[in-house]
Amino acid sequence: MTDSTRSKNGAVRLAESLGERVYDMVLDLGAIFTLFVEVVSWVVRPPSEIRNIVKQMEEVGIRSMPVVLVTATFTGMVLALQSYAGFERFGATSFVGSVVALSITRELGPVFAGLMVSGRVGASMAAELGTMKVTEQIDALTTLATNPVKYLVVPRVVAATIVLPVLVVFADLLGIIGGYFVSVYLMDANPYVYMSKTYQYLEFKDIYTGLVKASVFGMLIALISCHHGFVAAGGAEGVGRATTRAVVASSMMVLVSDYFMTSFMF
């Protein structure tokens, strides 16, 4: 076989591999959209799943709170440190508070909270439902006339959609406080100027658009993670693969959807 033939065969295999990945991605997107339609159709139909929703809200909110708050605090601190060092060159250090508040509320708070929840809660959802799938517990629910989407997916999607904006409120506060601490106590910024500039340029729209983004992130993370758990196959190894795919896909979707929502909102 000549070098030209080997090169051509390699290009063909690469093209086939890319084609298969794109095909699988399109199938996953279609399945996730179908799951979303099923969730919408079941969410208001009896019986009520209030108890399951509250349980999932505790799982998503309370247990994710420490990692989200630590991430937000240090993000605000690093942002203040970098902004102060850069703005000092132009004599514009009085705007550090505005930059930290706008960056945290508009983008960094919702996005980092979404990524943290995706890694912790998304993986947990995919692993739990994947284990139920490979051990045929989901099939058993169907046998008992219980709809798996209504019983397993709806509570997780509703809880994540409601709780993620609450997490972002606390993340915004801690991020701004972290930026204040670095600017005032470590960089000797004037505390009155810092706070007045923060209030002067921060608008209500900056806050509520971040919360809307967080709500969409929560819904996407839950839908994607539940989908990958539902299609898990191949025992413990298959559950591991489903968990990894859920985390990667939901993290990517947080960033992709953030771009489109930012383009639409601002």
Side-chain angles (χ1 to χ4, degrees):
M1 186 180 293
T2 65
D3 291 342
S4 174
T5 305
R6 291 195 188 95
S7 176
K8 185 181 292 184
N9 289 339
V12 170
R13 284 196 294 272
L14 179 61
E16 288 177 347
S17 175
L18 288 174
E20 290 174 358
R21 288 177 182 275
V22 171
Y23 179 72
D24 291 341
M25 188 181 300
V26 172
L27 287 181
D28 279 339
L29 288 174
I32 291 167
F33 180 75
T34 303
L35 184 60
F36 168 72
V37 173
E38 286 189 65
V39 168
V40 171
S41 69
W42 277 105
V43 72
V44 293
R45 293 161 65 179
S48 173
E49 296 291 344
I50 295 295
R51 183 173 296 179
N52 272 343
I53 291 173
V54 172
K55 180 182 174 185
Q56 292 302 322
M57 288 173 72
E58 179 187 0
E59 178 69 25
V60 177
I62 303 299
R63 297 185 181 180
S64 300
M65 186 72 80
V67 66
V68 170
L69 296 188
V70 169
T71 303
T73 304
F74 280 91
T75 299
M77 293 171 73
V78 169
L79 188 58
L81 204 59
Q82 290 283 15
S83 300
Y84 199 96
F87 287 2
E88 199 171 26
R89 302 175 188 175
F90 312 104
T93 54
S94 60
F95 290 100
V96 171
S98 305
V99 170
V100 170
L102 291 174
S103 302
I104 290 289
T105 54
R106 283 187 174 196
E107 294 295 333
L108 299 180
V111 169
F112 277 108
L115 293 177
M116 291 300 106
V117 170
S118 172
R120 206 199 74 78
V121 178
S124 173
M125 288 181 182
E128 186 179 3
L129 297 189
T131 302
M132 294 181 69
K133 174 67 176 177
V134 299
T135 56
E136 300 182 351
Q137 294 180 58
I138 293 179
D139 295 333
L141 285 175
T142 306
T143 305
L144 295 171
T146 301
N147 186 284
V149 173
K150 171 72 174 174
Y151 184 70
L152 297 173
V153 181
V154 168
R156 286 169 171 79
V157 172
V158 172
T161 305
I162 294 173
V163 168
L164 207 59
V166 179
L167 285 175
V168 169
V169 170
F170 289 101
D172 289 348
L173 286 174
L174 267 293
I176 292 172
I177 291 172
Y180 177 87
F181 176 81
V182 168
S183 299
V184 173
Y185 293 103
L186 300 185
M187 310 301 286
D188 292 328
N190 185 306
Y192 174 76
V193 172
Y194 186 94
M195 293 307 298
S196 65
K197 292 293 182 184
T198 299
Y199 287 125
Q200 182 178 354
Y201 292 102
L202 186 63
E203 298 177 356
F204 181 64
K205 181 182 178 183
D206 301 317
I207 298 172
Y208 81 73
T209 51
L211 301 183
V212 171
K213 285 183 180 181
S215 187
V216 175
F217 294 160
M219 182 186 65
L220 290 174
I221 291 167
L223 281 172
I224 293 169
S225 302
C226 290
H227 161 70
H228 283 286
F230 266 28
V231 298
E237 188 179 349
V239 174
R241 285 197 300 271
T243 303
T244 302
R245 287 174 183 167
V247 173
V248 172
S250 57
S251 299
M252 288 176 60
M253 193 54 70
V254 165
L255 299 175
V256 171
S257 61
D258 179 56
Y259 170 78
F260 287 105
M261 284 191 286
T262 301
S263 302
F264 178 76
M265 291 175 175
F266 296 100

